[in-house]
Structures are given as C-alpha cells and as structure tokens.
Amino acid sequence: MTIAFLYAIILTVIFMKKRDMMIIIILCLIIGIGYLIYINMQTDTNTIEVYYQNELIDTLDISVDASYTYTGTYGTFTLEVEDRQYHATNVDCPNHDCEKMGWIKEGSTKSIICLPNEIYVIQSNAEEQIEVGE
C-alpha cells in the first residue's frame, strides 16, 4: 500500500502545473512561519511556585536540581526537582495522592496538591490557566 501511495504522489507531482507547485510551496512557507511564530510566543516556564494555605511561600527555578522540604498542616512535604521536572516525595499524609502524581515536566498545566498539608505546587504560567481555590 505504501508503494502505491508513493507512486500516486510521484505522478501527481509530475503532472502538476507550475502554478499548483507555487501555491503548495507558498502554503508550506506560510504554515512554517506561523509555526515558528507560535513556538516563539510560548512563555518559558522555568519557575514553579509553592503555596501553603493559598499564600505563596516559595518560588523555585526548575532548571536547578534540588530537594526542598516544607512543613504543612499535617506534616512535612518534600518536593524533588530534577532534569526540568518535579514530583512530591516523602510526604506525611494519610493517602499520598500527591506522590502518585509522578513526575511533572516543564510546561505542563498539571499541579501537585496535598490537601492534608494544604500545600500545592504549580508552574508560574499555570495560574493563568488554573483558578486556584479562594
């Protein structure tokens, strides 16, 4: 099937008029330029924010590999940052749902929420997309 598909493409290109080829080339250039503009307009999410009881307590650089420990309402909460991603580990709470979130990569809109400790972690661009509890 792929050979037939390639054969059809080759025949189409051979019998294409110059005007058709120019239109396809111009469309490809417009799409490529649009994609480059879109990529350049994306905000860099190189920081994550840690909140305790809806108050910002720390802003971390996601490019720096480190481990941070916070004291919450129920106990301790440790956030590990490594290779431009982060996850919760060694959390004192009964259900450990925040640890089950796994690694969150840079640019994600996912957040880590530890309800017993009243701690949540979001990337700095995520507050534009997520409404945090009031």
Side-chain angles (χ1 to χ4, degrees):
M1 183 170 151
T2 50
I3 295 175
F5 182 70
L6 289 174
Y7 184 68
I9 291 175
I10 291 170
L11 284 177
T12 304
V13 171
I14 290 173
F15 293 112
M16 214 181 259
K17 295 179 182 176
K18 284 186 179 183
R19 187 187 80 219
D20 296 337
M21 289 283 272
M22 289 302 293
I23 290 173
I24 290 174
I25 290 171
I26 290 171
L27 286 174
C28 288
L29 286 173
I30 290 171
I31 291 170
I33 291 170
Y35 179 73
L36 290 174
I37 291 171
Y38 172 76
I39 292 298
N40 286 332
M41 290 180 66
Q42 297 297 314
T43 58
D44 291 334
T45 55
N46 53 359
T47 59
I48 52 178
E49 298 173 345
V50 181
Y51 289 84
Y52 173 64
Q53 295 180 342
N54 288 337
E55 290 185 29
L56 180 65
I57 59 171
D58 205 356
T59 302
L60 309 173
D61 186 356
I62 199 168
S63 63
V64 177
D65 295 349
S67 184
Y68 306 92
T69 302
Y70 305 97
T71 303
T73 306
Y74 196 86
T76 60
F77 175 92
T78 302
L79 186 69
E80 184 178 356
V81 179
E82 186 176 307
D83 297 329
R84 303 188 80 78
Q85 55 186 359
Y86 57 94
H87 75 117
T89 182
N90 300 328
V91 179
D92 294 333
C93 65
N95 53 13
H96 298 275
D97 286 337
C98 51
E99 289 178 344
K100 295 174 188 172
M101 286 292 299
W103 289 94
I104 298 178
K105 296 180 181 179
E106 178 183 26
S108 176
T109 57
K110 289 183 181 179
S111 58
I112 297 176
I113 300 171
C114 184
L115 287 177
N117 281 313
E118 298 183 69
I119 293 176
Y120 61 93
V121 182
I122 61 172
Q123 293 187 32
S124 30
N125 73 331
E127 71 251 3
E128 300 166 1
Q129 301 168 10
I130 302 171
E131 277 193 31
V132 181
E134 298 174 23

